[in-house]
Amino acid sequence: MSDLPFTLDQLRILKAIAAEGSFKRAADSLYVSQPAVSLQVQNLERQLDVPLFDRGGRRAQLTEAGHLLLNYGEKILTLCQETCRAIEDLQNLQGGTLIIGASQTTGTYLLPRMIGLFRQQYPDVSVQLHVHSTRRTSWSVANGQIDLAIIGGEVPSELQDSLQIIPYAEDELALILPVFHPLAQEDPIRKDDLYKLQFIALDSQSTIRKVIDQVLSRSGIETRRLKIEMELNSIEAIKNAVQSGLGAAFVSTTAIDKEIQMDVLHRSRVDGVVVKRILSVIFNPNRYRSKAAEAFTNDILPKFTNLFGQSDPSLPSPVSEAKFEPATLEG
């Protein structure tokens, strides 16, 4: 083939149809008409001389050839985005985009403060925040869809050799009670008191829930004896439930600053039990690292480690002391 049988616009359309599940919703997401989308797909199939969609069902289903083209198409589009951002960097942070990923708690309570400070220093840089599970966030960093991320869970084993994983801070998970609970008058409470409480927790498959269970088990607490009154899908919902007197919960200390100051939640210490997890910053060392990402790493991340109190001296060097060499595009 002397000429490429597809255009970038056609790849964008293919990706949109696969994501949305229909030609009409893909057209709406791209702000074009449905006939225009259909025509581009027909032209693409004619140029490739292969069908890309099974048109028998209600949902647009990719054929084997469609899946193959989508897989390569996403890589092509990601490289195009990296190229544009590398060119934008020539303007020396007078524009461009920074894309940050985070798991649920860090994305909800920590990153907005970081981004606010970054925007004060670099108002011309557009910032996007993607909040998902640790696993999904790690894959997005590996695929080049996210510049960097702060996560509280463990990077999938299949990605640990390909990502740069740097310990950032220790995040303590505190036991919170309603302010009017009888145990709120005791400090600290005993381990056995935990078995008397009714707990409100995240889903049993969530990263934070697994970390809490692991640390409690290491501290000699039988997690199976803890009474889970209800499971909710957000930290805010859990805090509101505890505040309303529905039970107790373990949550990150970064999520309860305001409530503790306002005296609407009580933080209890448990004798002999400290629940902590490690927050890490992750990069893909084989992807282009923009000046915006370097500025965020060097100027913003070190300023927030004091939110977490004293770190464990046995930890590896924190991100504030780590050296990040910018990746280069190989020609």
Side-chain angles (χ1 to χ4, degrees):
M1 297 181 184
S2 57
D3 297 319
L4 287 175
F6 52 77
T7 66
L8 293 179
D9 281 339
Q10 288 172 332
L11 294 181
R12 289 177 61 242
I13 289 172
L14 179 71
K15 181 178 178 180
I17 296 172
E20 299 292 341
S22 79
F23 282 49
K24 183 180 185 306
R25 288 196 295 270
D28 291 341
S29 70
L30 296 172
Y31 301 101
V32 298
S33 68
Q34 182 175 342
V37 167
S38 298
L39 180 61
Q40 287 281 19
V41 172
Q42 291 171 12
N43 290 338
L44 182 57
E45 289 179 324
R46 185 175 63 253
Q47 290 158 198
L48 292 171
D49 194 26
V50 64
L52 300 174
F53 291 94
D54 289 324
R55 291 173 168 80
R58 296 179 60 184
R59 182 179 176 88
Q61 297 285 348
L62 289 168
T63 63
E64 184 178 357
H67 280 292
L68 183 65
L69 180 60
L70 176 65
N71 183 42
Y72 281 100
E74 287 179 332
K75 295 177 182 178
I76 292 169
L77 291 172
T78 296
L79 281 174
C80 289
Q81 292 167 353
E82 284 188 16
T83 303
C84 292
R85 293 169 64 191
I87 293 173
E88 288 174 346
D89 268 353
L90 295 176
Q91 300 176 20
N92 195 26
L93 289 176
Q94 297 303 308
T97 301
L98 172 64
I99 305 176
I100 306 172
S103 47
Q104 187 185 57
T105 304
T106 54
T108 303
Y109 302 101
L110 179 62
L111 264 301
R113 285 185 271 181
M114 290 183 167
I115 292 172
L117 182 58
F118 180 82
R119 290 280 292 152
Q120 290 178 20
Q121 297 186 28
Y122 305 102
D124 296 323
V125 178
S126 173
V127 181
Q128 297 178 18
L129 174 60
H130 296 189
V131 181
H132 295 293
S133 67
T134 292
R135 181 174 184 83
R136 181 172 173 182
T137 298
S138 299
W139 275 104
S140 294
V141 174
N143 294 333
Q145 298 166 325
I146 290 177
D147 291 313
L148 64 104
I150 302 178
I151 57 171
E154 188 171 333
V155 172
S157 57
E158 62 268 31
L159 295 179
Q160 291 185 3
D161 291 336
S162 58
L163 294 180
Q164 187 176 8
I165 307 169
I166 302 167
Y168 176 53
E170 284 185 324
D171 179 25
E172 184 174 355
L173 299 163
L175 174 66
I176 57 173
L177 296 170
V179 291
F180 49 80
H181 194 283
L183 288 178
Q185 308 304 317
E186 300 184 23
D187 185 37
I189 68 173
R190 298 171 303 154
K191 286 184 182 181
D192 288 345
D193 290 329
L194 293 175
Y195 303 127
K196 304 173 185 177
L197 295 171
Q198 294 179 321
F199 278 92
I200 302 167
L202 290 168
D203 179 84
S204 59
Q205 298 303 310
S206 71
T207 299
I208 301 176
R209 173 77 175 273
K210 292 177 180 178
V211 169
I212 292 172
D213 288 349
Q214 290 169 359
V215 175
L216 290 178
S217 296
R218 289 198 297 267
S219 300
I221 294 171
E222 300 175 54
T223 55
R224 292 183 179 180
R225 290 178 59 191
L226 297 179
K227 301 172 185 176
I228 306 300
E229 179 71 13
M230 65 179 71
E231 293 183 343
L232 301 176
N233 64 359
S234 78
I235 303 296
E236 284 299 305
I238 288 175
K239 291 193 300 180
N240 288 333
V242 174
Q243 186 177 333
S244 300
L246 298 180
F250 281 98
V251 298
S252 168
T253 55
T254 61
I256 57 173
D257 287 344
K258 180 175 64 175
E259 288 79 8
I260 297 300
Q261 291 175 9
M262 295 174 62
D263 198 28
V264 296
L265 287 175
H266 175 77
R267 176 181 175 180
S268 287
R269 293 187 302 116
V270 183
D271 190 26
V273 179
V274 179
V275 187
K276 290 185 177 181
R277 62 174 180 160
I278 302 299
L279 299 182
S280 299
V281 179
I282 58 175
F283 298 86
N284 185 338
N286 298 314
R287 294 282 184 178
Y288 177 80
R289 186 171 300 141
S290 68
K291 290 182 179 178
E294 290 179 0
F296 187 87
T297 300
N298 298 326
D299 299 344
I300 304 302
L301 290 182
K303 295 181 179 179
F304 283 81
T305 53
N306 62 343
L307 289 178
F308 302 93
Q310 186 66 34
S311 295
D312 185 343
S314 67
L315 285 174
S317 298
V319 69
S320 57
E321 300 173 7
K323 301 299 183 183
F324 297 96
E325 297 298 333
T328 56
L329 296 176
E330 297 180 357

